[in-house]
Amino acid sequence: MCADGSGFSPGLKGVLAGETGLARVDGERGRLVYRGYPIGELVERGTYAQVAALLWTGAWSADAHLACAPLPSAVLAVLRQLPPEANAMDALRTGESAWGTVVGTTWPPTIEQARAVTSVAPSILAAFARQRDGLPPIDPDPDLGLAAGFLYQLRGERPDDAAARALDAYFIVGAEHGFNASTFAARVIISTHSDVASAVVGAIGALKGPWHGGAPSEVVDQLQQIPSVEDAEAWIRATLARGERLMGFGHRVYRAYDPRAAALRSVAEGQASVGDWLAKAVAIEDIALRVLEEWKPDYPIKTNVEYYAAAVLQGVGLPPNLFPATFALARHAGWTAHCLEQAEANVLIRPEVRYVGPEERHLPS
Ligand code: ACO
């Protein structure tokens, strides 16, 4: 409830807008669980296929497998029309929209639809990424999981186990996170009895913004702009003084360290290819946290998931311009699980808005 007693809270900050059994995001303690299981345990001992099945069904399925799906020719034809310089998030959104049109997903959302859209998304992104490099698409390998299958479709060779495992861990960490902006967008869309493809397309649009899923590539830019650790403090203070934000820091819910950042930092530490970059990132993180604490003593701004996502994604050799869209691939399990949950007890999501425009008036006669 806000100060004027109306319940209005800009940005819905602090507003309870629903109930979910999918993830508990405990911002004060820095804890995240999917259907009760801590994220660290899922990253260490699970696969993305198992986590997706858990989110969709509520049950842990030891033998869950999720492979990339082949693309309908009409989707490939749409992707071919896109300019090579197109933003990868735009291409993914367009490809999934085309896929939804071809497949004709309809209300109510089902687990089969959730699996289908989640497993076609990596094929769309890989086909676009190859096409912009003048290369033909590669058919998916049904034996590979989603993360490994995505890397295979990008490069035409099976990734080594370390890269496959690191990207799978990243997918687990990115799978679900409560009522974030993109998930909320998906729930709003499905609540109108629209279809799961439309919900995911809308969610991709919301995730594209740098205040949500667009941050990891900006983390890379940011660290590139800081010539050395010795220059970091001055650079950070100058950035804040200009009123700009530090990418990879801050979160609407977490006042404590984002547990996803901790999980991905451990993954990144196991990736030899990212060693020097990671050492610089860790040193700059310490300085940034100290300066941010001084900058906003009453509003804790800690490292968020995107900071170490940048390290893991670089470690598996993905170009920064694919980072946000790769995050979108991971979040498909959560978006679609929320569609299923919303549909189970659906109420149209349609809040009130306070009118602050001119009083009623009339056109000149
Ligand atoms: N750098 C500098 N200042 C910040 C940062 C930051 N990263 N984050 C918040 N602040 C400041 C704001 O400038 C604001 O200050 P003001 O009150 O003086 O205007 C104050 O903290 C509150 O900011 P809000 O946007 O109202 O707070 P919120 O906690 O909702 O912000 C957000 C969350 C949008 C993620 C923000 O922290 C941000 O922009 N971070 C940088 C981008 C980023 O890393 N995004 C990825 C988020 S993780 C994800 O979505 C997967």
Side-chain angles (χ1 to χ4, degrees), residues 20-26 29-42 51 54-55 176-178 254 259-260:
T20 182
L22 298 173
R24 185 175 63 217
V25 183
D26 181 342
R29 294 195 304 147
R31 302 277 301 159
L32 171 65
V33 300
Y34 295 168
R35 292 205 187 263
Y37 299 105
I39 189 70
E41 214 171 289
L42 292 168
V51 165
L54 173 72
L55 291 170
E176 156 59 4
H177 207 239
Y254 290 120
R260 303 169 300 170

mmCIF file of all heavy atoms in Angstrom, residues 20-26 29-42 51 54-55 176-178 254 259-260:
data_model
loop_
_atom_site.group_PDB
_atom_site.id
_atom_site.type_symbol
_atom_site.label_atom_id
_atom_site.label_comp_id
_atom_site.label_asym_id
_atom_site.label_seq_id
_atom_site.Cartn_x
_atom_site.Cartn_y
_atom_site.Cartn_z
ATOM 1 N N THR A 20 2.778 -18.532 -6.734
ATOM 2 C CA THR A 20 3.437 -19.516 -7.598
ATOM 3 C C THR A 20 4.039 -20.633 -6.769
ATOM 4 O O THR A 20 4.500 -20.397 -5.639
ATOM 5 C CB THR A 20 4.552 -18.857 -8.458
ATOM 6 O OG1 THR A 20 5.113 -19.853 -9.313
ATOM 7 C CG2 THR A 20 5.661 -18.242 -7.606
ATOM 8 N N GLY A 21 4.047 -21.817 -7.329
ATOM 9 C CA GLY A 21 4.719 -22.955 -6.701
ATOM 10 C C GLY A 21 6.014 -23.272 -7.419
ATOM 11 O O GLY A 21 6.615 -24.322 -7.190
ATOM 12 N N LEU A 22 6.465 -22.378 -8.303
ATOM 13 C CA LEU A 22 7.615 -22.706 -9.156
ATOM 14 C C LEU A 22 8.950 -22.327 -8.529
ATOM 15 O O LEU A 22 9.841 -23.153 -8.428
ATOM 16 C CB LEU A 22 7.449 -22.035 -10.523
ATOM 17 C CG LEU A 22 6.203 -22.503 -11.300
ATOM 18 C CD1 LEU A 22 6.019 -21.680 -12.553
ATOM 19 C CD2 LEU A 22 6.341 -23.975 -11.658
ATOM 20 N N ALA A 23 9.100 -21.050 -8.169
ATOM 21 C CA ALA A 23 10.376 -20.633 -7.581
ATOM 22 C C ALA A 23 10.115 -19.727 -6.397
ATOM 23 O O ALA A 23 9.208 -18.895 -6.444
ATOM 24 C CB ALA A 23 11.221 -19.890 -8.609
ATOM 25 N N ARG A 24 10.941 -19.892 -5.363
ATOM 26 C CA ARG A 24 10.913 -18.919 -4.273
ATOM 27 C C ARG A 24 12.198 -18.103 -4.352
ATOM 28 O O ARG A 24 13.299 -18.661 -4.294
ATOM 29 C CB ARG A 24 10.812 -19.587 -2.897
ATOM 30 C CG ARG A 24 10.648 -18.510 -1.803
ATOM 31 C CD ARG A 24 10.421 -19.079 -0.420
ATOM 32 N NE ARG A 24 11.565 -19.837 0.004
ATOM 33 C CZ ARG A 24 11.500 -20.955 0.722
ATOM 34 N NH1 ARG A 24 10.344 -21.453 1.084
ATOM 35 N NH2 ARG A 24 12.597 -21.600 1.070
ATOM 36 N N VAL A 25 12.030 -16.796 -4.528
ATOM 37 C CA VAL A 25 13.169 -15.887 -4.613
ATOM 38 C C VAL A 25 13.203 -15.143 -3.286
ATOM 39 O O VAL A 25 12.360 -14.291 -3.032
ATOM 40 C CB VAL A 25 12.980 -14.894 -5.785
ATOM 41 C CG1 VAL A 25 14.202 -13.996 -5.923
ATOM 42 C CG2 VAL A 25 12.680 -15.638 -7.093
ATOM 43 N N ASP A 26 14.165 -15.507 -2.441
ATOM 44 C CA ASP A 26 14.254 -14.870 -1.123
ATOM 45 C C ASP A 26 15.342 -13.803 -1.205
ATOM 46 O O ASP A 26 16.539 -14.096 -1.050
ATOM 47 C CB ASP A 26 14.593 -15.959 -0.079
ATOM 48 C CG ASP A 26 14.683 -15.390 1.337
ATOM 49 O OD1 ASP A 26 14.829 -14.155 1.478
ATOM 50 O OD2 ASP A 26 14.630 -16.189 2.291
ATOM 51 N N ARG A 29 17.639 -13.075 2.041
ATOM 52 C CA ARG A 29 18.661 -14.072 2.423
ATOM 53 C C ARG A 29 19.507 -14.522 1.235
ATOM 54 O O ARG A 29 20.442 -15.305 1.391
ATOM 55 C CB ARG A 29 17.986 -15.288 3.070
ATOM 56 C CG ARG A 29 17.315 -14.940 4.406
ATOM 57 C CD ARG A 29 16.978 -16.202 5.181
ATOM 58 N NE ARG A 29 16.142 -17.107 4.398
ATOM 59 C CZ ARG A 29 16.181 -18.433 4.481
ATOM 60 N NH1 ARG A 29 17.018 -19.020 5.311
ATOM 61 N NH2 ARG A 29 15.383 -19.192 3.741
ATOM 62 N N GLY A 30 19.120 -14.062 0.015
ATOM 63 C CA GLY A 30 19.873 -14.469 -1.163
ATOM 64 C C GLY A 30 19.723 -15.950 -1.448
ATOM 65 O O GLY A 30 20.693 -16.657 -1.722
ATOM 66 N N ARG A 31 18.475 -16.442 -1.366
ATOM 67 C CA ARG A 31 18.216 -17.876 -1.614
ATOM 68 C C ARG A 31 17.252 -17.999 -2.788
ATOM 69 O O ARG A 31 16.333 -17.197 -2.942
ATOM 70 C CB ARG A 31 17.548 -18.539 -0.401
ATOM 71 C CG ARG A 31 18.325 -18.441 0.887
ATOM 72 C CD ARG A 31 19.396 -19.492 1.027
ATOM 73 N NE ARG A 31 18.894 -20.864 0.963
ATOM 74 C CZ ARG A 31 19.649 -21.925 0.657
ATOM 75 N NH1 ARG A 31 20.910 -21.769 0.351
ATOM 76 N NH2 ARG A 31 19.131 -23.143 0.646
ATOM 77 N N LEU A 32 17.470 -19.038 -3.594
ATOM 78 C CA LEU A 32 16.562 -19.326 -4.720
ATOM 79 C C LEU A 32 16.316 -20.825 -4.756
ATOM 80 O O LEU A 32 17.266 -21.617 -4.752
ATOM 81 C CB LEU A 32 17.209 -18.864 -6.041
ATOM 82 C CG LEU A 32 16.501 -19.281 -7.332
ATOM 83 C CD1 LEU A 32 15.118 -18.632 -7.449
ATOM 84 C CD2 LEU A 32 17.343 -18.900 -8.563
ATOM 85 N N VAL A 33 15.041 -21.219 -4.755
ATOM 86 C CA VAL A 33 14.708 -22.639 -4.906
ATOM 87 C C VAL A 33 13.716 -22.785 -6.044
ATOM 88 O O VAL A 33 12.883 -21.909 -6.269
ATOM 89 C CB VAL A 33 14.105 -23.260 -3.616
ATOM 90 C CG1 VAL A 33 15.074 -23.172 -2.442
ATOM 91 C CG2 VAL A 33 12.773 -22.611 -3.247
ATOM 92 N N TYR A 34 13.862 -23.892 -6.799
ATOM 93 C CA TYR A 34 12.861 -24.267 -7.798
ATOM 94 C C TYR A 34 12.051 -25.422 -7.197
ATOM 95 O O TYR A 34 12.617 -26.488 -6.920
ATOM 96 C CB TYR A 34 13.497 -24.784 -9.087
ATOM 97 C CG TYR A 34 14.319 -23.815 -9.912
ATOM 98 C CD1 TYR A 34 15.120 -24.296 -10.950
ATOM 99 C CD2 TYR A 34 14.288 -22.433 -9.704
ATOM 100 C CE1 TYR A 34 15.873 -23.445 -11.752
ATOM 101 C CE2 TYR A 34 15.045 -21.577 -10.497
ATOM 102 C CZ TYR A 34 15.836 -22.090 -11.511
ATOM 103 O OH TYR A 34 16.592 -21.254 -12.296
ATOM 104 N N ARG A 35 10.773 -25.224 -7.023
ATOM 105 C CA ARG A 35 9.897 -26.247 -6.437
ATOM 106 C C ARG A 35 10.547 -26.886 -5.196
ATOM 107 O O ARG A 35 10.531 -28.108 -5.023
ATOM 108 C CB ARG A 35 9.546 -27.319 -7.474
ATOM 109 C CG ARG A 35 8.653 -26.782 -8.607
ATOM 110 C CD ARG A 35 7.864 -27.895 -9.215
ATOM 111 N NE ARG A 35 7.096 -27.550 -10.388
ATOM 112 C CZ ARG A 35 5.792 -27.237 -10.350
ATOM 113 N NH1 ARG A 35 5.132 -27.192 -9.216
ATOM 114 N NH2 ARG A 35 5.154 -26.980 -11.482
ATOM 115 N N GLY A 36 11.184 -26.054 -4.407
ATOM 116 C CA GLY A 36 11.760 -26.508 -3.139
ATOM 117 C C GLY A 36 13.244 -26.850 -3.202
ATOM 118 O O GLY A 36 13.903 -26.884 -2.165
ATOM 119 N N TYR A 37 13.788 -27.117 -4.384
ATOM 120 C CA TYR A 37 15.193 -27.537 -4.485
ATOM 121 C C TYR A 37 16.114 -26.322 -4.643
ATOM 122 O O TYR A 37 15.908 -25.507 -5.551
ATOM 123 C CB TYR A 37 15.408 -28.461 -5.688
ATOM 124 C CG TYR A 37 14.615 -29.751 -5.629
ATOM 125 C CD1 TYR A 37 13.487 -29.943 -6.424
ATOM 126 C CD2 TYR A 37 15.011 -30.779 -4.772
ATOM 127 C CE1 TYR A 37 12.763 -31.130 -6.368
ATOM 128 C CE2 TYR A 37 14.288 -31.971 -4.721
ATOM 129 C CZ TYR A 37 13.169 -32.143 -5.517
ATOM 130 O OH TYR A 37 12.462 -33.304 -5.455
ATOM 131 N N PRO A 38 17.169 -26.199 -3.788
ATOM 132 C CA PRO A 38 18.078 -25.046 -3.895
ATOM 133 C C PRO A 38 18.809 -25.028 -5.240
ATOM 134 O O PRO A 38 19.210 -26.081 -5.754
ATOM 135 C CB PRO A 38 19.073 -25.259 -2.752
ATOM 136 C CG PRO A 38 18.482 -26.290 -1.862
ATOM 137 C CD PRO A 38 17.537 -27.103 -2.682
ATOM 138 N N ILE A 39 19.008 -23.811 -5.754
ATOM 139 C CA ILE A 39 19.601 -23.666 -7.084
ATOM 140 C C ILE A 39 20.998 -24.279 -7.148
ATOM 141 O O ILE A 39 21.364 -24.918 -8.147
ATOM 142 C CB ILE A 39 19.598 -22.177 -7.532
ATOM 143 C CG1 ILE A 39 20.011 -22.040 -9.000
ATOM 144 C CG2 ILE A 39 20.474 -21.291 -6.670
ATOM 145 C CD1 ILE A 39 19.025 -22.537 -9.970
ATOM 146 N N GLY A 40 21.780 -24.133 -6.062
ATOM 147 C CA GLY A 40 23.145 -24.667 -6.067
ATOM 148 C C GLY A 40 23.146 -26.184 -6.259
ATOM 149 O O GLY A 40 23.958 -26.742 -6.998
ATOM 150 N N GLU A 41 22.195 -26.859 -5.594
ATOM 151 C CA GLU A 41 22.091 -28.318 -5.699
ATOM 152 C C GLU A 41 21.674 -28.725 -7.115
ATOM 153 O O GLU A 41 22.180 -29.698 -7.675
ATOM 154 C CB GLU A 41 21.018 -28.778 -4.701
ATOM 155 C CG GLU A 41 21.272 -30.105 -4.082
ATOM 156 C CD GLU A 41 20.280 -30.356 -2.954
ATOM 157 O OE1 GLU A 41 20.384 -29.699 -1.888
ATOM 158 O OE2 GLU A 41 19.393 -31.185 -3.145
ATOM 159 N N LEU A 42 20.750 -27.975 -7.685
ATOM 160 C CA LEU A 42 20.291 -28.292 -9.041
ATOM 161 C C LEU A 42 21.434 -28.133 -10.042
ATOM 162 O O LEU A 42 21.581 -28.943 -10.964
ATOM 163 C CB LEU A 42 19.108 -27.391 -9.422
ATOM 164 C CG LEU A 42 17.819 -27.658 -8.638
ATOM 165 C CD1 LEU A 42 16.800 -26.541 -8.854
ATOM 166 C CD2 LEU A 42 17.218 -29.012 -9.023
ATOM 167 N N VAL A 51 15.501 -30.143 -14.853
ATOM 168 C CA VAL A 51 14.953 -28.942 -14.219
ATOM 169 C C VAL A 51 13.703 -28.474 -14.972
ATOM 170 O O VAL A 51 12.696 -28.093 -14.356
ATOM 171 C CB VAL A 51 16.041 -27.843 -14.145
ATOM 172 C CG1 VAL A 51 15.436 -26.490 -13.834
ATOM 173 C CG2 VAL A 51 17.076 -28.221 -13.094
ATOM 174 N N LEU A 54 10.952 -30.713 -14.055
ATOM 175 C CA LEU A 54 10.538 -30.397 -12.679
ATOM 176 C C LEU A 54 9.605 -29.181 -12.680
ATOM 177 O O LEU A 54 8.555 -29.178 -12.021
ATOM 178 C CB LEU A 54 11.784 -30.093 -11.832
ATOM 179 C CG LEU A 54 11.537 -29.595 -10.416
ATOM 180 C CD1 LEU A 54 11.010 -30.732 -9.537
ATOM 181 C CD2 LEU A 54 12.831 -29.025 -9.809
ATOM 182 N N LEU A 55 9.987 -28.156 -13.429
ATOM 183 C CA LEU A 55 9.161 -26.942 -13.451
ATOM 184 C C LEU A 55 7.802 -27.227 -14.101
ATOM 185 O O LEU A 55 6.771 -26.738 -13.635
ATOM 186 C CB LEU A 55 9.887 -25.822 -14.208
ATOM 187 C CG LEU A 55 11.128 -25.265 -13.481
ATOM 188 C CD1 LEU A 55 11.920 -24.334 -14.400
ATOM 189 C CD2 LEU A 55 10.733 -24.516 -12.208
ATOM 190 N N GLU A 176 14.346 -19.999 -14.363
ATOM 191 C CA GLU A 176 13.127 -19.507 -13.708
ATOM 192 C C GLU A 176 13.471 -18.513 -12.606
ATOM 193 O O GLU A 176 14.482 -18.660 -11.916
ATOM 194 C CB GLU A 176 12.343 -20.732 -13.160
ATOM 195 C CG GLU A 176 11.390 -20.488 -12.020
ATOM 196 C CD GLU A 176 10.292 -19.474 -12.316
ATOM 197 O OE1 GLU A 176 10.194 -18.973 -13.446
ATOM 198 O OE2 GLU A 176 9.554 -19.152 -11.391
ATOM 199 N N HIS A 177 12.624 -17.500 -12.431
ATOM 200 C CA HIS A 177 12.923 -16.520 -11.382
ATOM 201 C C HIS A 177 11.706 -15.707 -10.986
ATOM 202 O O HIS A 177 11.746 -14.470 -10.943
ATOM 203 C CB HIS A 177 14.078 -15.608 -11.830
ATOM 204 C CG HIS A 177 14.850 -15.064 -10.681
ATOM 205 N ND1 HIS A 177 14.992 -13.726 -10.433
ATOM 206 C CD2 HIS A 177 15.503 -15.700 -9.676
ATOM 207 C CE1 HIS A 177 15.703 -13.564 -9.334
ATOM 208 N NE2 HIS A 177 16.031 -14.741 -8.863
ATOM 209 N N GLY A 178 10.620 -16.402 -10.670
ATOM 210 C CA GLY A 178 9.466 -15.688 -10.123
ATOM 211 C C GLY A 178 8.844 -14.692 -11.100
ATOM 212 O O GLY A 178 8.866 -14.894 -12.311
ATOM 213 N N TYR A 254 16.619 -8.971 -4.876
ATOM 214 C CA TYR A 254 17.750 -9.323 -4.010
ATOM 215 C C TYR A 254 18.361 -8.113 -3.330
ATOM 216 O O TYR A 254 18.844 -7.198 -3.999
ATOM 217 C CB TYR A 254 18.854 -10.019 -4.821
ATOM 218 C CG TYR A 254 18.484 -11.403 -5.280
ATOM 219 C CD1 TYR A 254 18.443 -11.714 -6.627
ATOM 220 C CD2 TYR A 254 18.163 -12.393 -4.364
ATOM 221 C CE1 TYR A 254 18.101 -12.981 -7.061
ATOM 222 C CE2 TYR A 254 17.810 -13.665 -4.785
ATOM 223 C CZ TYR A 254 17.780 -13.953 -6.139
ATOM 224 O OH TYR A 254 17.430 -15.194 -6.554
ATOM 225 N N PRO A 259 22.114 -15.535 -5.515
ATOM 226 C CA PRO A 259 22.686 -16.892 -5.452
ATOM 227 C C PRO A 259 23.035 -17.442 -6.833
ATOM 228 O O PRO A 259 23.882 -18.320 -6.972
ATOM 229 C CB PRO A 259 21.564 -17.719 -4.800
ATOM 230 C CG PRO A 259 20.307 -16.936 -5.046
ATOM 231 C CD PRO A 259 20.712 -15.491 -5.070
ATOM 232 N N ARG A 260 22.396 -16.907 -7.860
ATOM 233 C CA ARG A 260 22.700 -17.363 -9.227
ATOM 234 C C ARG A 260 24.091 -16.877 -9.636
ATOM 235 O O ARG A 260 24.821 -17.550 -10.352
ATOM 236 C CB ARG A 260 21.635 -16.851 -10.200
ATOM 237 C CG ARG A 260 20.233 -17.284 -9.808
ATOM 238 C CD ARG A 260 19.180 -16.553 -10.615
ATOM 239 N NE ARG A 260 19.247 -15.112 -10.436
ATOM 240 C CZ ARG A 260 18.574 -14.226 -11.162
ATOM 241 N NH1 ARG A 260 17.789 -14.651 -12.123
ATOM 242 N NH2 ARG A 260 18.683 -12.926 -10.931
#
